[in-house]
Amino acid sequence: MKILILGSGGREHALAWAVARSERVTEVVCAPGNGGMAQSARCVPVNLKDVDAVVRLAETEQPGLTIVGPELPLSLGVVDALKKCGLRVFGPSRGAAMLETSKGFAKRFLQRHNIPTAKYAVCTTSAELRKAVDAFHPPIVVKADGLAAGKGVIICTSRQTALEAAQGLFSGGLLGEAERQVVIEEFLEGDEISFLCLSDGTHVVPLLPAQDHKRIGEGDTGPNTGGMGAYTADELLDPAMSDWILRHIAEPTVRGMAEEDTPFVGVLYCGLMMTARGPEVLEFNVRFGDPETQAILPRLDSDLVDALEACIDGRLRETELRWTPGASACVVASSAGYPGAYKTGVAIHGLGAAGQVPGVQVFHAGSAEVGPQLLTAGGRVLGVTAAAGSLEEALARAYQAMAEIDFEGMYYRRDIGHRALKTLRK
Ligand code: AMP
Ligand code: GLY
């Protein structure tokens, strides 16, 4: 079977690697892909903002299965468009993707279905804003309603700054004219967990829970990024808690979406805060997480293509996923300056030696193949990933491989997984 993967980041490289392990897969095509994917798959250029162009590409390629990586094409209805042409595609419809594309929709949905989440107010006018901000105690969380590439959440220490931040979102370029909507939210405290599940619209099968590191600096300091690392570990969430999250959050969400005639087929990523009151939903994503996917998939011991097809065909009830016991870690190497301005086109060295470290996979996020050379082509460049029997061992392997890699200005956090190591050792 030919598989088409839409996207060009580390998540998509991990997906391409995982589907290539399936005996049923004969060819992997990535659109647009990156330098790492080009080494094992065929990459074809496409503008993922152009749904018609994606449809034309898929009609030419005729893949047996298309997997959509990022949220943007999902928000534009790429799944609906491909399905209309009779193509098999893994991902939610545009309507179901609203769980990620509108935070106001997600919050109201959670409330309608009694799924635990922070108290909130959805505001569309300055008067509503003032009233909402008065009703919350600082710190106050201010969120842009739509997709904001990680820049839409502002945590404010006073009502005044919350008001200014929200007004800034109203007047700034982040919100489109049609979506002048801001969510004001209660601040939640606790550990964050990324709880990803497969859904066929009715049934839910969880993947391994993971944690990511969003900040650029060690000790979780500095500006937010697309993710500087992620890890999984068998001890991260005990089975009773996992089961609770499944019954009280993931399953009610999928049931609610089905009841509202927008059945959710795809990956439901529940971003949770483990508060003193219990787990509460911070956000939904409607796709695989990045870099969580790079940490999760190397531990998958079942056929990913079978599982994704079971979602499309409504057969998830019969599907059980097997996982290699232990842990995994993905450490991201970024360009100097990221998440601010950075240089690209810098030669990457040492990938061969890094790949020799047992249990290691190097997933590319921002690289390009130029002739015989691999050059940097993004802020996040590589996700060096290792699986092992314990988190300590997985991290040791990932850092050992990282030490083999070099490019000018390369930066990575040396403390990935350290928060977990502290709690796991207790
Ligand atoms: P979101 O895009 O909603 O996931 O928010 C991005 C990040 O902002 C989350 O991963 C949290 O670290 C933080 N965040 C979002 N909502 C809250 C909240 N209500 N309380 C505390 N932190 C939050
Ligand atoms: N790791 C966060 C995300 O994928 O949105």
Side-chain angles (χ1 to χ4, degrees):
M1 184 200 293
K2 186 200 274 195
I3 310 271
L4 173 62
I5 294 183
L6 300 180
S8 61
R11 161 184 51 209
E12 288 78 18
H13 191 185
L15 285 165
W17 171 82
V19 298
R21 296 166 80 194
S22 167
E23 279 174 10
R24 296 170 52 213
V25 172
T26 49
E27 190 185 3
V28 181
V29 179
C30 301
N34 64 33
M37 290 187 241
Q39 298 186 325
S40 54
R42 181 159 57 86
C43 292
V44 288
V46 73
N47 175 3
L48 293 181
K49 290 185 201 142
D50 184 346
V51 173
D52 292 339
V54 174
V55 169
R56 282 197 299 277
L57 170 71
E59 285 197 306
T60 312
E61 292 286 347
Q62 288 295 320
L65 172 66
T66 299
I67 306 170
V68 188
E71 59 275 22
L72 187 75
L74 294 169
S75 75
L76 300 174
V78 79
V79 169
D80 315 61
L82 290 171
K83 275 169 87 172
K84 224 191 233 167
C85 301
L87 292 158
R88 280 166 73 71
V89 50
F90 177 80
S93 66
R94 183 183 196 152
M98 289 275 285
L99 283 177
E100 176 168 358
T101 58
S102 168
K103 290 192 192 290
F105 172 85
K107 294 297 284 190
R108 289 177 170 134
F109 173 90
L110 286 162
Q111 191 178 34
R112 273 200 298 283
H113 295 279
N114 286 315
I115 300 167
T117 191
K119 291 192 188 68
Y120 74 98
V122 179
C123 308
T124 51
T125 64
S126 298
E128 279 173 357
L129 256 180
R130 275 193 296 277
K131 204 170 138 218
V133 165
D134 272 346
F136 285 84
H137 293 286
I140 297 173
V141 183
V142 176
K143 298 184 174 184
D145 185 69
L147 294 182
K151 297 192 180 69
V153 177
I154 310 156
I155 294 169
C156 305
T157 48
S158 71
R159 290 199 170 99
Q160 185 56 33
T161 49
L163 214 49
E164 283 164 14
Q167 295 287 9
L169 287 178
F170 268 166
S171 54
L174 208 51
L175 303 178
E177 265 312 303
E179 56 210 31
R180 254 180 58 109
Q181 194 157 277
V182 166
V183 176
I184 302 293
E185 209 175 275
E186 164 200 17
F187 179 76
L188 297 179
E189 269 175 284
D191 277 334
E192 283 184 49
I193 292 275
S194 305
F195 192 89
L196 281 68
C197 309
L198 296 180
S199 167
D200 65 1
T202 310
H203 295 281
V204 179
V205 172
L207 306 179
L208 291 177
Q211 271 185 324
D212 71 346
H213 290 268
K214 289 193 170 71
R215 307 292 197 93
I216 187 76
E218 287 171 12
D220 295 317
T221 54
N224 261 328
T225 70
M228 294 304 293
Y231 51 93
T232 70
D234 285 344
E235 311 89 310
L236 193 57
L237 211 55
D238 71 63
M241 182 57 89
S242 239
D243 197 58
W244 193 94
I245 294 169
L246 191 63
R247 309 263 166 255
H248 293 87
I249 293 176
E251 287 178 353
T253 300
V254 166
R255 210 181 305 130
M257 291 300 279
E259 281 165 17
E260 296 185 11
D261 289 329
T262 40
F264 188 91
V265 178
V267 174
L268 179 68
Y269 169 140
C270 308
L272 307 177
M273 189 71 94
M274 307 301 280
T275 75
R277 300 185 293 226
E280 301 199 6
V281 176
L282 283 175
E283 62 159 348
F284 286 121
N285 294 316
V286 297
R287 46 161 176 89
F288 284 100
D290 190 335
E292 288 93 335
T293 304
Q294 293 89 307
I296 292 171
L297 291 181
R299 290 187 58 197
L300 179 63
D301 200 22
S302 307
D303 190 307
L304 180 63
V305 176
D306 286 348
L308 302 187
E309 288 209 300
C311 293
I312 297 175
D313 297 331
R315 291 185 284 105
L316 204 53
R317 191 209 280 270
E318 306 152 23
T319 304
E320 220 180 297
L321 299 179
R322 289 181 313 278
W323 301 96
T324 312
S328 61
C330 169
V331 182
V332 170
S334 65
S335 302
Y338 175 78
Y342 53 82
K343 178 162 121 181
T344 58
V346 171
I348 306 170
H349 305 286
L351 291 171
Q356 298 299 312
V357 178
V360 165
Q361 294 298 326
V362 180
F363 296 122
H364 292 225
S367 75
E369 224 183 18
V370 179
Q373 267 197 318
L374 262 174
L375 306 180
T376 65
R380 290 186 301 162
V381 178
L382 304 168
V384 179
T385 304
S390 68
L391 185 55
E392 276 103 334
E393 184 60 26
L395 285 162
R397 288 180 182 187
Y399 282 113
Q400 187 190 337
M402 190 65 101
E404 300 287 347
I405 300 172
D406 183 44
F407 58 84
E408 186 198 323
M410 174 170 124
Y411 167 81
Y412 61 91
R413 279 181 58 169
R414 287 159 206 268
D415 67 341
I416 298 305
H418 282 204
R419 215 169 344 122
L421 286 179
K422 244 187 260 157
T423 18
L424 301 180
R425 281 207 193 103
K426 262 194 216 151

